[in-house]
Amino acid sequence: GAVVSQHPSRVICKSGTSVKIECRSLDFQATTMFWYRQFPKQSLMLMATSNEGSKATYEQGVEKDKFLINHASLTLSTLTVTSAHPEDSSFYICSARDAGPGGNTGELFFGEGSRLTVL
Amino acid sequence: QKEVEQDPGPLSVPEGAIVSLNCTYSNSAFQYFMWYRQYSRKGPELLMYTYSSGNKEDGRFTAQVDKSSKYISLFIRDSQPSDSATYLCAMFGGSYIPTFGRGTSLIVHP
């Protein structure tokens, strides 16, 4: 299957600092990327939908000023957790839709996830 | 009622068994269906992607969709300990935003 690279896989930071997570589609173009948060033993919680060249669409309850999403190219989206606090500690996962022949119905591939720990 | 219902398990089976994993959904607008496997502390891996009602086979995996009953299944033949993971169903319709089930934890013991 297609490869989505997510970096860093783990990050530990102090409270109040900002952390940037990158999501890259390595062998396909992704007009749409999704960012999820996952708590232990729970399913994926959609945070926002990111479309290349436009502002992200955030789900209800997700603070857009805290979780900054940028989708500047067809292969890269970034999530920046600003002024992180311990309650932001979680597993963040991105996914990218292959915009090839399927277009909006293209297959959805996930990155490996980033575990954020805020001290 | 959630849009997608999936029994969290755990489902424990002996090696070599046929595993049946299921999801039901309530939104008739869902037209595209996916199954993912997620190992602990890893991102989900796409296993199957289907659109039509009926069966789709890929190696030991068979995905089945019954749109009239709003019911999808994933069958795993000759299950192996390495299949032990959480299996997530996902689906979407005209919004193109996938809705996920909560995942079923599968344990295949030797």
Side-chain angles (χ1 to χ4, degrees):
Chain A
V3 178
V4 175
S5 173
Q6 188 172 340
H7 178 81
S9 58
R10 286 188 183 185
V11 57
I12 301 173
C13 69
K14 292 182 179 180
S15 184
T17 59
S18 294
V19 173
K20 180 185 283 189
I21 300 169
E22 290 189 351
C23 180
R24 292 180 185 274
S25 56
L26 296 186
D27 51 2
F28 65 96
Q29 293 187 330
T31 52
T32 303
M33 290 187 175
F34 301 94
W35 286 94
Y36 296 87
R37 188 171 176 176
Q38 188 175 37
F39 295 100
K41 298 188 185 297
Q42 294 194 23
S43 190
L44 304 166
M45 185 188 83
L46 180 64
M47 298 175 67
T49 302
S50 165
N51 290 298
E52 185 264 338
S54 62
K55 289 184 178 180
T57 301
Y58 290 82
E59 294 299 299
Q60 192 172 9
V62 178
E63 299 175 60
K64 62 180 180 181
D65 294 329
K66 181 167 191 61
F67 299 101
L68 300 179
I69 292 172
N70 183 278
H71 191 162
S73 77
L74 286 172
T75 59
L76 174 64
S77 178
T78 60
L79 166 68
T80 301
V81 184
T82 62
S83 187
H85 287 91
E87 59 266 29
D88 299 323
S89 298
S90 190
F91 192 54
Y92 294 89
I93 315 177
C94 71
S95 68
R97 169 167 279 145
D98 188 341
N104 282 335
T105 62
E107 294 174 314
L108 197 64
F109 299 98
F110 281 84
E112 284 293 285
S114 299
R115 183 159 302 281
L116 171 64
T117 303
V118 184
L119 302 176
Chain B
Q1 182 190 10
K2 291 185 178 179
E3 279 192 303
V4 179
E5 297 279 359
Q6 185 176 12
D7 188 332
L11 176 63
S12 183
V13 301
E15 184 176 356
I18 296 175
V19 175
S20 174
L21 302 163
N22 311 294
C23 287
T24 59
Y25 62 96
S26 58
N27 190 341
S28 58
F30 289 147
Q31 297 294 319
Y32 302 88
F33 306 91
M34 298 162 284
W35 283 97
Y36 289 88
R37 176 175 62 196
Q38 185 177 23
Y39 293 111
S40 181
R41 299 174 183 268
K42 296 289 186 182
E45 173 192 1
L46 180 64
L47 294 176
M48 301 291 279
Y49 179 37
T50 59
Y51 168 71
S52 308
S53 281
N55 293 352
K56 180 179 180 179
E57 189 174 318
D58 185 358
R60 295 185 297 115
F61 299 98
T62 299
Q64 190 174 79
V65 174
D66 183 346
K67 291 184 180 179
S68 62
S69 301
K70 297 189 182 66
Y71 187 91
I72 66 171
S73 299
L74 177 71
F75 298 97
I76 307 174
R77 289 183 297 282
D78 187 25
S79 57
Q80 304 294 311
S82 58
D83 293 328
S84 299
T86 296
Y87 290 80
L88 297 155
C89 66
M91 51 198 76
F92 64 92
S95 73
Y96 308 111
I97 297 174
T99 299
F100 284 83
R102 60 177 298 181
T104 299
S105 175
L106 172 66
I107 300 169
V108 181
H109 52 85

